[in-house]
Amino acid sequence: MNSSQIPNPKSQAPLALILFGSPGSGKGTQSKLLAKALGIPQISTGDMLREHVRRGNAVGTKVEAKMKAGILVKDYVVNQLVEERLAQPDAANGFILDGYPRTRAQAEVLCGILSPRGVQAVVIHLVVDYNVIIARLTGRRQCPVCGTLYNVTSKPPKVPGVCDLEGAKLIVRDDDREEVIRERLDEYEKQTRPLIDFFRETGNRLYEIDASHDNPQAVFGKIEELIRES
Ligand code: AMP
């Protein structure tokens, strides 16, 4: 274990962390930091789906149009991807879910996977002001080669519009266009936010973290503290 790693929490059961929050709340960034610190995998359904689209396979063809439009893809598609991913050996000691579950049907499937393993999820809800979310999503740029994310105001590249690592011209992700952002936020409000009640009803530990103004390292510090205490 290196010095940046978080010691195991008190519980001996594998840690199932759910990073929960609206698009643009920082789930992806925090999941990556946590995966490194805890030595457990980040499981992002968005990344998995984008990889299928990139490969142009059957799953990719099925989901591409919905993703471009900012609409949630069918539950059975993501449930199957997650079930297969959680069965991989590297998830046996814990994992971080980033962008899943997003509907009640997905949350029920997840409970069905975790209960027999004796695992109860720890849900971290990243709470961010609406205006901050809009600024983050509209300012987001990505390197088409290495996937590194930038933001024109909060995390600009050294040369505007160019990736620091690859020198490639940065792009706006299809689903970061303004009309699509609106659709994604709408889906979140209608289908995903109500899961907070589901997590409470089912007795999962749910922590809310104000992630509006802090920089990613400060938010990470708050999550780290919670995990140590849980
Ligand atoms: P993300 O990168 O997590 O914002 O996801 C990008 C897009 O992938 C979403 O707008 C959805 O179209 C799709 N997606 C990702 N995760 C899920 C999920 N758990 N359920 C349904 N659709 C998802």
Side-chain angles (χ1 to χ4, degrees):
M1 180 187 280
N2 67 41
S3 59
S4 68
Q5 283 189 316
I6 303 171
N8 282 338
K10 287 171 202 153
S11 151
Q12 290 308 302
L15 183 62
L17 264 188
I18 298 178
L19 268 274
F20 188 82
S22 128
S25 58
K27 299 188 298 291
T29 304
Q30 293 304 323
S31 299
K32 284 189 182 65
L33 292 171
L34 285 162
K36 204 164 163 210
L38 291 163
I40 55 177
Q42 171 204 14
I43 299 178
S44 156
T45 44
D47 285 350
M48 286 195 277
L49 291 166
R50 274 185 289 279
E51 179 59 17
H52 284 284
V53 171
R54 200 187 59 76
R55 288 194 205 151
N57 61 20
V59 173
T61 313
K62 206 180 288 176
V63 302
E64 188 171 11
K66 283 211 163 66
M67 290 179 75
K68 271 198 176 145
I71 297 167
L72 294 186
V73 312
K74 294 256 189 264
D75 289 326
Y76 78 89
V77 176
V78 272
N79 284 338
Q80 192 176 343
L81 290 181
V82 170
E83 267 186 81
E84 285 168 7
R85 184 63 187 85
L86 292 182
Q88 301 287 315
D90 69 335
N93 295 323
F95 46 84
I96 299 160
L97 290 171
D98 163 11
Y100 181 92
R102 262 162 139 124
T103 65
R104 190 169 181 112
Q106 292 176 18
E108 282 167 359
V109 165
L110 180 64
C111 282
I113 298 172
L114 297 186
S115 301
R117 294 188 181 193
V119 177
Q120 241 205 355
V122 176
V123 184
I124 310 275
H125 179 195
L126 300 176
V127 183
V128 180
D129 286 349
Y130 188 79
N131 289 340
V132 175
I133 286 187
I134 297 290
R136 280 187 191 167
L137 292 175
T138 52
R140 195 150 74 170
R141 301 290 181 270
Q142 189 168 31
C143 172
V145 179
C146 66
T148 301
L149 287 170
Y150 297 88
N151 187 285
V152 290
T153 46
S154 58
K155 192 193 166 200
K158 288 186 190 118
V159 177
V162 178
C163 177
D164 293 348
L165 307 174
E166 298 290 338
K169 191 170 181 299
L170 300 179
I171 55 165
V172 177
R173 228 169 71 176
D174 273 339
D175 58 354
D176 282 341
R177 284 178 294 116
E178 209 160 329
E179 64 279 18
V180 182
I181 289 172
R182 229 172 292 128
E183 193 63 59
R184 289 165 67 201
L185 293 175
D186 212 40
E187 288 281 78
Y188 176 76
E189 287 303 323
K190 284 197 202 128
Q191 308 219 51
T192 309
R193 188 193 283 280
L195 287 185
I196 293 171
D197 289 336
F198 175 88
F199 292 135
R200 288 211 179 98
E201 284 159 21
T202 47
N204 291 286
R205 275 171 293 160
L206 172 72
Y207 301 101
E208 303 221 313
I209 292 200
D210 178 0
S212 285
H213 302 295
D214 289 317
N215 64 35
Q217 278 301 332
V219 175
F220 174 67
K222 290 185 196 171
I223 301 176
E224 192 185 20
E225 220 168 282
L226 279 178
I227 294 172
R228 271 186 219 280
E229 287 164 7
S230 68

